[in-house]
């Protein structure tokens, strides 16, 4: 079995992300969920908050660990002996960007493979931005985020 990395912003983690984490943990020896610290993107939750939420929701899965990284994904992967990149696909709209990223990573590091996992159709509409949009308007996000982190997520929107 292989060691995989599941990278993303996770700003914040949703049930869609957790579904991909659970399913990949069943087929991989180890899965590192890696939060990208991207200085060009303004995040709602800081790195510590995003890592903490992921640690809480992945606690039941012994072969899943959480980390964060700056810079190139393939450098992180190589330094940590990881040979698979997992990406979730929701719709055709995800495909074009992810396809380009996978080809660039293949060019930079041919020994690392990207695997795409189809979304669970329950979550095909779900993104971190949708969660934040609904929460900011006072809507109920309980069906969209793992219950253990619901309070932390809505904490940003309560006055
Ligand atoms: P987003 O802000 O769009 O939720 P992230 O950068 O946090 O995006 O996503 C990290 C990874 O998780 C990406 O590979 C993305 O395609 C995937 N992903 C996000 N939401 C879902 C979902 N609902 N179902 C399947 N994959 C998802």
């Amino acid at each position: 079995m292989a060691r995989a990395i599941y990278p993303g912003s996770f700003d914040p983690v949703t049930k869609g992300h957790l579904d991909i984490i659970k399913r990949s943990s069943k087929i991989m020896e180890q899965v590192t969920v890696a939060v990208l610290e991207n200085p060009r993107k303004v995040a709602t939750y800081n790195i510590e908050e995003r890592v903490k939420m992921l640690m809480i929701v992945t606690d039941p899965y012994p072969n899943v660990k959480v980390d964060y990284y700056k810079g190139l994904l393939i450098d992180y992967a190589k330094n940590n002996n990881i040979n698979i990149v997992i990406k979730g696909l929701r719709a055709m709209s995800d495909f074009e960007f992810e396809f380009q990223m996978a080809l660039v990573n293949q060019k930079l590091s041919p020994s690392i493979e990207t695997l795409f996992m189809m979304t669970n159709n329950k979550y095909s509409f779900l993104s971190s931005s949708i969660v934040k949009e609904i929460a900011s308007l006072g809507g109920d996000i309980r069906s969209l985020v793992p219950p253990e982190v619901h309070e932390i997520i809505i904490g940003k929107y309560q006055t």
Side-chain angles (χ1 to χ4, degrees):
M1 288 224 276
R3 287 156 60 88
I5 185 166
Y6 175 44
S9 310
F10 306 103
D11 186 37
V13 62
T14 68
K15 284 191 177 176
H17 294 132
L18 188 56
D19 180 70
I20 298 284
I21 295 170
K22 276 190 211 168
R23 285 159 58 203
S24 47
S25 76
K26 287 190 194 142
I27 53 173
M28 297 291 164
E29 182 187 329
Q30 189 185 68
V31 178
T32 301
V33 183
V35 183
L36 170 63
E37 196 171 352
N38 185 349
R40 287 184 314 253
K41 222 169 150 182
V42 183
T44 306
Y45 301 87
N46 65 33
I47 280 283
E48 289 77 22
E49 291 169 321
R50 285 181 272 158
V51 165
K52 181 179 164 196
M53 288 189 270
L54 282 165
M55 281 181 154
I56 294 171
V57 302
T58 59
D59 188 55
Y61 311 103
N63 64 338
V64 175
K65 65 176 220 173
V66 181
D67 199 359
Y68 63 92
Y69 72 102
K70 278 187 211 156
L72 283 179
L73 172 68
I74 50 150
D75 288 340
Y76 179 94
K78 275 187 204 154
N79 292 336
N80 290 278
N81 249 326
I82 291 169
N83 49 355
I84 307 267
V85 178
I86 306 257
K87 291 296 187 100
L89 277 186
R90 280 162 290 196
M92 286 310 284
S93 51
D94 277 341
F95 182 76
E96 203 168 324
F97 175 74
E98 295 295 356
F99 183 60
Q100 188 183 17
M101 286 304 297
L103 291 178
V104 168
N105 285 337
Q106 192 180 66
K107 187 110 196 128
L108 294 174
S109 179
S111 60
I112 297 178
E113 292 289 350
T114 301
L115 296 186
F116 293 102
M117 193 169 264
M118 288 309 293
T119 183
N120 182 321
N121 70 20
K122 285 194 288 193
Y123 305 129
S124 59
F125 64 92
L126 185 51
S127 69
S128 298
S129 345
I130 289 284
V131 165
K132 289 185 281 190
E133 182 77 22
I134 297 174
S136 71
L137 298 170
D140 188 352
I141 56 162
R142 252 172 263 265
S143 60
L144 312 179
V145 300
E148 303 86 347
V149 292
H150 175 256
E151 286 296 312
I152 304 179
I153 294 173
I154 58 167
K156 283 272 173 206
Y157 298 97
Q158 285 167 336
T159 46

